[in-house]
Structure formats: C-alpha cells, structure tokens
Amino acid sequence: MKKSLILYVLIVAILSTVFTYMYFNKQVKFEKERFETYKTKSKDSLDAMKLRLFESNYFSLEANESAQNYLEKYDVNKLIPIIKESLLNYNDAPEGNQFTGQDKIGEQKFIINKIKVLNHRWIIAEYSDGTYWGEVLLQYFIEEDDSITFKILQSFIYPTT
C-alpha cells in the first residue's frame, strides 16, 4: 500500500509539474504576443503622429527649403524668434497691437497671442481682447538694417454667439 501511495503521489507531482510548466509556457507565449501587438500598434500610432506633424508643419518656415534658401543669409532658427518678438512688442501699445487690423471694441485692447511664420513672406497670427477672437494674415519684410516691418493682408474677427 505504501508503494502505491508513493507511486500515486509521484504521478500527481509529475502531472502537476507538467501542467504548471505548460501553463506558464503558454502564459509567456501569450504575453510575448500581446507585447508584439502593443509594439506594432504603438509603432503605427507613432508613424501616424509623425505624418500628422509633418503635414501640419508643411506650411512653416522651418520645413520650407525654398523659403529658407530665400533667407540664406539668416539662420532661420534664430530668425523666427526675432520675427515673433518684433510682432509681440507691438502688444505693449496702449491701443493694442496695430497689426491685428482691429480697433479697440471695449475696455480691453487687442493683442496677438499666437504666431506662425508660414514662409519667407507671410505670418498668420491669432489675436483677442478676452471677449473677441480673430486671426490676421501678415506680410513681413526684413529691411537692410535687419529691422522687420509688417503689413496687414487680411484680418478676420469671429462673431460672438
């Protein structure tokens, strides 16, 4: 009887070891497959985001080689902040930024909040007075003395609801 009991215990131990090994082996395989799926989805998502970023920066001085060649005597990475700063300096005027194309409507003055340098000649900017919001398309010129001048091409203020 003792030999049978030891034999049964040994068989149960071997079977439980085999089943445990199979369970953990399948679990590792499942985790690897899940990781590969996650990795593939992440790569696809990252590629899609890179494509969206590339497409959104298509109209920007940073991505436009022709515009950069036109401004060949300037370092574009240093020029863009100078252009933005020059335009934002007009926000300090008591009547607001003159390059919004809008006169003061209420108590608050219109100031430019966001600027995107599109190419070697155009800028699009967003402005507001806290109540009203709008956008303006500007043309800019870099003068011989490296000063920057602006000209309003089109200004639009969104209607309030």
Side-chain angles (χ1 to χ4, degrees):
M1 173 100 176
K2 264 185 168 181
K3 287 184 180 183
S4 309
L5 184 64
I6 292 174
L7 182 64
Y8 288 130
V9 168
L10 183 63
I11 290 172
V12 168
I14 290 172
L15 284 174
S16 67
T17 303
V18 168
F19 285 130
T20 304
Y21 172 77
M22 295 299 290
Y23 169 77
F24 284 115
N25 194 18
K26 285 185 179 182
Q27 184 180 13
V28 167
K29 183 179 177 184
F30 173 75
E31 289 295 327
K32 278 184 181 179
E33 289 173 0
R34 192 167 81 170
F35 175 73
E36 289 299 322
T37 303
Y38 174 76
K39 190 169 110 176
T40 303
K41 285 181 180 178
S42 296
K43 185 179 181 307
D44 293 345
S45 175
L46 184 61
D47 290 344
M49 290 303 290
K50 283 180 183 177
L51 180 62
R52 286 183 66 190
L53 179 64
F54 176 76
E55 287 178 356
S56 69
N57 280 334
Y58 182 79
F59 290 108
S60 70
L61 183 57
E62 295 98 342
N64 189 335
E65 287 185 33
S66 299
Q68 289 177 8
N69 291 337
Y70 183 82
L71 297 170
E72 65 187 350
K73 75 177 201 175
Y74 300 101
D75 180 7
V76 173
N77 294 323
K78 292 179 183 176
L79 181 64
I80 292 172
I82 292 169
I83 293 169
K84 288 180 178 182
E85 185 179 330
S86 297
L87 188 56
L88 290 174
N89 284 339
Y90 290 99
N91 284 348
D92 297 333
E95 292 299 313
N97 194 317
Q98 65 186 2
F99 295 109
T100 60
Q102 300 296 327
D103 293 329
K104 201 172 175 182
I105 294 177
E107 293 179 18
Q108 299 293 328
K109 60 185 181 179
F110 283 103
I111 60 170
I112 291 180
N113 301 314
K114 294 191 183 239
I115 300 168
K116 176 88 172 179
V117 180
L118 298 176
N119 59 20
H120 65 287
R121 193 57 66 214
W122 297 328
I123 296 172
I124 190 166
E126 182 264 338
Y127 61 88
S128 75
D129 69 351
T131 305
Y132 300 100
W133 301 83
E135 294 174 354
V136 62
L137 182 64
L138 299 168
Q139 191 172 22
Y140 73 94
F141 303 95
I142 302 171
E143 304 297 336
E144 293 294 324
D145 61 351
D146 288 339
S147 65
I148 300 171
T149 57
F150 302 97
K151 176 183 172 188
I152 299 172
L153 296 177
Q154 186 74 41
S155 181
F156 177 79
I157 192 161
Y158 291 103
T160 58
T161 55

